[in-house]
Amino acid sequence: MWHILRQVARHGILTEPPPRIEEADRARIDRIHAGLLEILGQALAIRAVDAGSCNGCELEIQALGNPYYNIEGLGIRFVASPRHADMLLVTGPVSRHMEEALKRTYDATPEPKLVVAVGDCGCDGGIFGESYASCGRVSNVIPVDVVVPGCPPPPMDILRGILSAVRQRAQALAGR
């Protein structure tokens, strides 16, 4: 212990500098944030549902909460109950054991609800496809508004997919 304290006193606390945010990336993120606020005008509550994925997409979804993307600052938040959600963010091929749970989650989400399928597995079944253990793509079980392909898709693409779903809903409501 004393050895470590002497080393800290001698050299100081060494840390890496914070990562540089490229100006183009920051401008792109700011445009997406402004678009979301313009369309929504209020907070967006998202319920993330893992329907049988490998957790790669979940890692990218969790990255949306870090200070680089800062979706909390926009008023976009993840909720624990589908009854409080405006959007379902579904990952993975739907396993047979999750089929009924996903349908119930969809039914519990209040109207107007949005569904975004994230990752290749959610979009088209990925490497798993349809089998005795898998229903395949999310749209085989519940209606999907937007798909975000990739294995796993980067957080920026997921954010674009969320914005795209919200825009489509806003246009549909304005066209009524």
Side-chain angles (χ1 to χ4, degrees):
M1 175 74 174
W2 291 110
H3 170 62
I4 294 172
L5 290 174
R6 274 190 298 244
Q7 185 176 359
V8 168
R10 211 172 328 141
H11 298 288
I13 298 175
L14 304 175
T15 60
E16 296 178 3
R20 288 180 17 119
I21 298 175
E22 298 297 325
E23 202 56 41
D25 287 342
R26 174 52 49 202
R28 201 170 350 141
I29 291 168
D30 289 342
R31 274 196 314 275
I32 289 173
H33 286 182
L36 276 171
L37 288 177
E38 178 185 317
I39 293 167
L40 289 175
Q42 62 180 10
L44 175 68
I46 299 174
R47 171 68 172 127
V49 179
D50 179 352
S53 76
C54 67
N55 290 333
C57 294
E58 280 74 18
L59 292 172
E60 300 301 318
I61 290 169
Q62 288 303 314
L64 288 172
N66 70 30
Y68 187 82
Y69 297 100
N70 191 25
I71 64 168
E72 288 281 331
L74 284 173
I76 299 175
R77 66 188 195 288
F78 289 94
V79 294
S81 172
R83 288 179 173 78
H84 302 143
D86 303 312
M87 175 184 287
L88 295 178
L89 208 58
V90 187
T91 61
V94 182
S95 68
R96 297 278 179 205
H97 293 290
M98 278 299 292
E99 182 179 11
E100 184 63 30
L102 183 58
K103 286 179 184 176
R104 287 183 180 185
T105 301
Y106 179 79
D107 292 340
T109 306
E111 293 288 341
K113 52 188 146 198
L114 297 166
V115 178
V116 176
V118 177
D120 286 344
C121 295
C123 296
D124 60 15
I127 61 171
F128 303 101
E130 291 182 42
S131 67
Y132 67 93
S134 173
C135 299
R137 67 183 69 184
V138 175
S139 62
N140 289 348
V141 180
I142 59 174
V144 172
D145 297 300
V146 173
V147 295
V148 181
C151 188
M156 187 62 77
D157 288 352
I158 297 170
L159 197 53
R160 281 191 193 108
I162 291 169
L163 178 61
S164 176
V166 171
R167 273 197 185 127
Q168 285 180 10
R169 183 55 49 117
Q171 289 171 352
L173 292 175
R176 283 187 183 178

